[in-house]
Amino acid sequence: MDRVLRVLPLSIRNLLESLSPVERSRLEEIRVRKDRPLEVITTEKSRFVTPEGRLTRDPREAYRPSGEDCRKMLNLISNHSLYALEEELRRGYVTIEGGHRIGLSGKVVVEGGRVRHLRDITGFNVRIARQIPGVAGGLIPYLFQGGRVENVLIVSPPQCGKTTLLRDLARIVSTGDKGLSPLKVGIVDERSELAGCVQGIPQHDVGPRTDVLDGCPKAEGMMMMIRSMSPDILVVDEIGRREDGEAVYEAVHAGVHVFTTAHGRTLEEVCRRPTISALARDGVFGRYVLLSRRRGPGTVEGVFDRSFRRVERLEMVRSPC
């Protein structure tokens, strides 16, 4: 939280520091909107923050960040140099030290039908990144069987822990585990969420044998990684575009395994998307992992095979890789 607090103006920082340690430890998002209620999202609920530093359900009781608060926050995020954030402003988010991501909203400047950058920024969404080492350990027996590595698609709605799970899978596979020899991992991190790179250096532990392409479009990055770094496993977050699907096909036909994610509440829902439907129909993914928040973020509702049959608990066979 210290790294997050550093990019908040003092007025907002003081309010959040007034929350109890337990309340702060549960924060997932901090939403700052000019002249509108200061909101925080926790693992359990959405609440507003009062001028006294208490949580409330009533937005009328909340502190309302001023235009000066927003200007100060933008200066803190950019280290007083908006020019240095030109590319981030075009993408609409900034990754800060610690791998935390700050979404931005405001006036969009469009040139030639494409987003040029953002100006008059009046909205910030600070998404607090947390590593949970070992959270993916229970999935390893489902993904490695009899010397075979399965291609994996993790399916979940937003804020259900799919990125955290995917990151830990990369770490475990890159490090090695009981019965699992370490493998070379390539991460294509288009939105700087998986590795949380700052100046090319991962802020999260993604394993000792992991290479990262940061801020690179997924489809192009997967091909670059295969040509240049010869990974055993490619890890990418949130596929969905046609070119993403084509890159997945290229990877698996090149003998590279793919661990990835997609938004969806059910397998049926995600398979209605044309790209995912084609990959599923061709049996590209040997394992589907379905997540929810039913018992908190990262609740595994089931592991399914390429025919969408539930896979029962398995004992892992040592990988020969």
Side-chain angles (χ1 to χ4, degrees):
M1 281 296 295
D2 287 343
R3 289 166 173 167
V4 171
L5 292 174
R6 287 178 204 158
V7 300
L8 298 175
L10 189 60
S11 55
I12 296 175
R13 189 185 315 169
N14 288 339
L15 295 181
L16 295 180
E17 288 179 334
S18 297
L19 300 178
S20 72
V22 172
E23 289 172 329
R24 286 200 303 274
S25 71
R26 292 175 177 168
L27 291 180
E28 292 185 347
E29 295 183 359
I30 302 165
R31 291 182 172 262
V32 178
R33 304 174 176 103
K34 179 184 173 183
D35 297 331
R36 288 180 288 166
L38 176 62
E39 183 185 16
V40 294
I41 311 295
T42 74
T43 55
E44 302 168 343
K45 58 195 175 186
S46 166
R47 291 291 184 268
F48 300 98
V49 184
T50 72
E52 297 76 35
R54 295 181 295 100
L55 297 183
T56 178
R57 296 174 182 269
D58 190 345
R60 295 171 298 180
E61 299 176 357
Y63 177 79
R64 292 174 179 262
S66 64
E68 183 64 18
D69 286 330
C70 292
R71 282 190 291 273
K72 287 180 179 178
M73 186 165 177
L74 191 57
N75 283 331
L76 289 167
I77 292 169
S78 66
N79 199 21
H80 299 273
S81 175
L82 282 181
Y83 177 78
L85 289 184
E86 184 175 356
E87 177 61 22
E88 286 85 348
L89 293 177
R90 185 185 67 81
R91 295 184 306 189
Y93 62 87
V94 178
T95 302
I96 63 172
E97 188 178 357
H100 311 289
R101 196 177 76 171
I102 303 175
L104 307 169
S105 63
K107 174 67 175 178
V108 176
V109 178
V110 178
E111 292 183 5
R114 301 187 66 180
V115 174
R116 177 67 177 176
H117 62 84
L118 282 174
R119 71 180 190 194
D120 303 331
I121 295 171
T122 56
F124 306 83
N125 178 23
V126 182
R127 297 186 63 178
I128 300 169
R130 289 189 175 89
Q131 286 197 121
I132 309 178
V135 69
L139 289 177
I140 294 299
Y142 293 93
L143 312 185
F144 296 84
Q145 275 292 305
R148 178 182 176 85
V149 183
E150 300 288 359
N151 297 314
V152 182
L153 179 66
I154 300 170
V155 176
S156 89
Q159 292 189 295
C160 286
K162 66 182 182 307
T163 301
T164 301
L165 189 68
L166 188 63
R167 181 190 302 125
D168 197 51
L169 275 176
R171 180 192 65 82
I172 292 172
V173 172
S174 175
T175 305
D177 199 14
K178 295 177 181 178
L180 174 65
S181 298
L183 301 172
K184 293 178 293 180
V185 176
I187 292 178
V188 181
D189 201 1
E190 183 169 3
R191 299 191 303 175
S192 302
E193 279 192 298
L194 279 169
C197 287
V198 174
Q199 297 180 343
I201 301 172
Q203 302 294 294
H204 297 303
D205 180 4
V206 290
R209 297 171 181 83
T210 299
D211 301 295
V212 181
L213 280 175
D214 181 55
C216 182
K218 288 184 282 289
E220 186 176 356
M222 282 190 273
M223 295 302 97
M224 290 172 62
M225 190 65 78
I226 291 170
R227 289 192 296 264
S228 62
M229 304 308 292
S230 65
D232 298 308
I233 294 178
L234 271 174
V235 176
V236 294
D237 204 6
E238 295 182 15
I239 63 168
R241 295 173 298 182
R242 177 181 55 79
E243 55 266 35
D244 297 340
E246 291 173 354
V248 171
Y249 278 117
E250 290 287 339
V252 298
H253 290 153
V256 179
H257 302 285
V258 177
F259 290 1
T260 188
T261 69
H263 280 304
R265 296 185 181 278
T266 64
L267 297 182
E268 291 80 4
E269 180 177 296
V270 79
C271 284
R272 294 192 191 107
R273 300 166 63 180
T275 296
I276 306 298
S277 176
L279 292 167
R281 185 173 59 249
D282 291 341
V284 169
F285 297 111
R287 292 290 183 266
Y288 296 86
V289 180
L290 184 62
L291 301 182
S292 76
R293 291 179 66 100
R294 187 167 55 86
R295 295 192 301 271
T299 299
V300 177
E301 294 291 350
V303 180
F304 303 86
D305 66 15
R306 56 178 40 84
S307 300
F308 303 114
R309 293 188 296 262
R310 185 179 295 271
V311 180
E312 300 303 328
R313 179 70 183 180
L314 301 170
E315 295 299 324
M316 185 172 65
V317 179
R318 182 176 179 82
S319 167
C321 299

